[in-house]
Amino acid sequence: MARVEVNVLEPAERLKRAAIALGAGIAAALIALPIPLVHFFVVPGALIAGVVLSVNRLRQRETFRAASGRCPHCGGNQRFPVLGGFRVPKRLDCPACHHDLSLGDG
């Protein structure tokens, strides 16, 4: 059994995270703009990626903060690195024995 900590994001925090993602896309586009030939691909790609990532971050209401528990393969108590939005099942990797684990509901 694993213990999971979830971070519930307030609307202002979601908007801040989305603005950072969009700003990173715009910054990457501005950096690539003066580079000949590269700007034909990188600028539109960076702008599209910035918009897609910002919309994704606006939609995330919860994110994983941490997960801990006993690994069923090696038996050791572990703190599992968990990143990203709150969706189950979530794939994990045991830091001790490197077995693939699935964090599910139930």
Side-chain angles (χ1 to χ4, degrees):
M1 176 175 286
R3 181 175 181 269
V4 177
E5 297 175 29
V6 177
N7 187 20
V8 179
L9 301 172
E10 299 294 325
E13 190 173 359
R14 291 172 31 206
L15 187 60
K16 179 182 171 186
R17 289 167 36 99
I20 291 170
L22 183 61
I26 292 171
L30 289 174
I31 290 170
L33 194 59
I35 303 171
L37 297 178
V38 171
H39 70 269
F40 289 120
F41 305 103
V42 175
V43 172
L47 292 175
I48 291 170
V51 169
V52 169
L53 289 174
S54 66
V55 168
N56 185 26
R57 288 187 167 209
L58 270 176
R59 295 176 62 201
Q60 284 183 342
R61 297 179 189 273
E62 301 167 326
T63 59
F64 281 108
R65 184 179 288 172
S68 60
R70 184 176 297 276
C71 175
H73 297 284
C74 67
N77 283 326
Q78 303 291 333
R79 186 162 179 89
F80 302 102
V82 182
L83 299 173
F86 183 75
R87 288 190 191 157
V88 288
K90 185 77 166 178
R91 306 287 304 162
L92 300 175
D93 181 54
C94 177
C97 66
H98 301 290
H99 273 90
D100 288 330
L101 305 172
S102 179
L103 185 63
D105 58 349

